[in-house]
Amino acid sequence: MDHSGHGEHGMPMDLPPFTLGRGLEFSSDPFFLAGCLVGLALYGWGVARLRRRGDAWPVGRTVFFTAGVLSIALVMCTKLNDYGMVMFSVHMVQHMVISMLSPILLLLGAPVTLALRALPPAGRGRKGPRELLLALLHSRYMKIVTHPAFTIPMFIASLYGLYFTPLFDFLMGSRAGHIAMMVHFLAVGLIFFWPIMGVDPGPHRPGYVMRMLELFAGMPFHAFFGIALMMASEPMVRAYADPPASLGISALSDQNAAGGIAWAFSEIPSVLVLIALVFQWYRSEQRQAVRKDRAADRDGDKELEAYNAYLASLQARSR
């Protein structure tokens, strides 16, 4: 592939050998920089609006959402994005973060719940942003795209259907194509993890065991994909088959590293999501116990009284 196309990213054709320090230097992608700033501003507006109204919003959620946005900025608004155009291993870090780490952090921030609480109702017979968001959440389209029969195959196809077909090379050939691919990775991650995390309201809300099964249905395919890259004896993706000489790397060792990253990264979201699910499950059980105690307090332990009366009647009969 002709590396001159990479100039569109505002990047020199010959990059020096990769180091973490060089990779983390600021190198803005205007699209993602604007998206991250808008995301933080809207979330901040929502939290401020609730506070002004006297409503609480958990600090932890704000921290998670901010970390999610910063994780996108980390891989898209630094030189990692430039190196990712010519190094498969760096691109794989971008892909894994934006499709498997950023979505989990963003969803733990509960942005949909915040929007529904912060947006004002439009009034009778009118449709404002809040009403449109509710209509979207309850739409047939949303039911389809958040159903595991759609999310799991899409999650898998984003790996095999992209990297092992000419589509990847086509998208890497232009700045717009590269942005579209990264937005796709983020969107697929969000719709895959949204029903599993279960923090925000959504059309598909399975029980906790089902959520765990959904999580583990998708993860092994990432590991297999990584192993396939590591075991290949020749470059499998044309876009990275001829890295610039200035990097001082071979295409095969770089692909090997990319496979190792894909394989190792598949464990990280599993652990994060499992911790979140177990915590949610525990909290839900606690809430249920509190509800039962309150109900018992309200009805003056009628169940217990009825049971005692039943025992007394049995005793009376036996005499």
Side-chain angles (χ1 to χ4, degrees):
M1 184 179 170
D2 175 22
H3 293 296
S4 59
H6 301 145
E8 288 179 49
H9 286 253
M11 167 189 106
M13 208 169 90
D14 290 330
L15 285 163
F18 179 80
T19 63
L20 191 58
R22 282 175 186 151
L24 294 178
E25 284 173 21
F26 181 72
S27 175
S28 162
D29 179 293
F31 178 86
F32 280 97
L33 183 63
C36 288
L37 291 173
V38 168
L40 287 175
L42 288 173
Y43 196 91
W45 171 84
V47 173
R49 191 174 161 82
L50 289 188
R51 290 271 160 83
R52 275 200 305 275
R53 212 163 61 196
D55 290 345
W57 182 255
V59 175
R61 286 184 176 178
T62 306
V63 170
F64 278 125
F65 187 83
T66 305
V69 173
L70 292 177
S71 68
I72 296 170
L74 179 72
V75 294
M76 296 310 302
C77 299
T78 61
K79 283 260 175 78
L80 288 176
N81 195 30
D82 296 341
Y83 277 101
M85 292 301 292
V86 286
M87 287 179 70
F88 199 4
S89 54
V90 178
H91 167 84
M92 195 54 70
V93 170
Q94 287 182 284
H95 177 168
M96 293 295 125
V97 168
I98 211 166
S99 71
M100 294 171 83
L101 181 62
S102 306
I104 292 170
L105 294 170
L106 292 173
L107 290 166
L108 285 171
V112 176
T113 304
L114 178 63
L116 290 172
R117 285 182 61 188
L119 288 167
R124 196 171 293 171
R126 300 213 320 271
K127 279 195 174 179
R130 189 176 187 279
E131 288 70 26
L132 291 172
L133 178 59
L134 278 169
L136 178 65
L137 286 174
H138 294 118
S139 66
R140 182 176 287 177
Y141 164 78
M142 202 53 84
K143 279 188 181 127
I144 293 167
V145 300
T146 59
H147 195 278
F150 179 87
T151 60
I152 294 169
M154 179 59 81
F155 196 64
I156 296 161
S158 285
L159 283 173
Y160 297 88
L162 188 67
Y163 288 99
F164 298 156
T165 68
L167 182 59
F168 184 80
D169 294 322
F170 170 74
L171 292 171
M172 287 292 282
S174 70
R175 185 170 176 276
H178 185 245
I179 288 171
M181 176 167 48
M182 289 299 174
V183 169
H184 168 78
F185 289 152
L186 179 62
V188 166
L190 285 168
I191 62 165
F192 178 75
F193 289 111
W194 181 13
I196 294 170
M197 302 305 294
V199 179
D200 274 327
H204 175 62
R205 294 299 295 271
Y208 288 100
V209 175
M210 209 46 220
R211 289 187 208 176
M212 289 179 186
L213 290 174
E214 280 181 39
L215 172 68
F216 291 119
M219 289 305 128
F221 290 95
H222 265 260
F224 297 149
F225 171 75
I227 291 164
L229 289 179
M230 288 165 78
M231 290 180 72
S233 55
E234 57 183 47
M236 295 176 78
V237 179
R238 201 163 62 84
Y240 295 111
D242 182 26
S246 64
L247 292 172
I249 56 166
S250 79
L252 207 54
S253 65
D254 186 43
Q255 178 173 282
N256 215 322
I261 289 160
W263 174 69
F265 217 100
S266 61
E267 301 304 315
I268 296 170
S270 307
V271 172
L272 278 176
V273 174
L274 271 180
I275 291 168
L277 281 181
V278 168
F279 182 68
Q280 283 174 29
W281 202 342
Y282 170 74
R283 287 270 300 273
S284 146
E285 293 292 318
Q286 293 283 93
R287 279 198 296 270
Q288 221 166 345
V290 168
R291 271 200 298 272
K292 279 182 182 167
D293 288 347
R294 277 186 191 150
D297 291 344
R298 267 200 309 275
D299 62 21
D301 284 329
K302 276 181 191 157
E303 263 184 58
L304 188 61
E305 282 171 24
Y307 183 63
N308 286 337
Y310 170 68
L311 287 178
S313 73
L314 286 179
Q315 220 169 357
R317 265 184 234 162
S318 64
R319 279 178 187 161

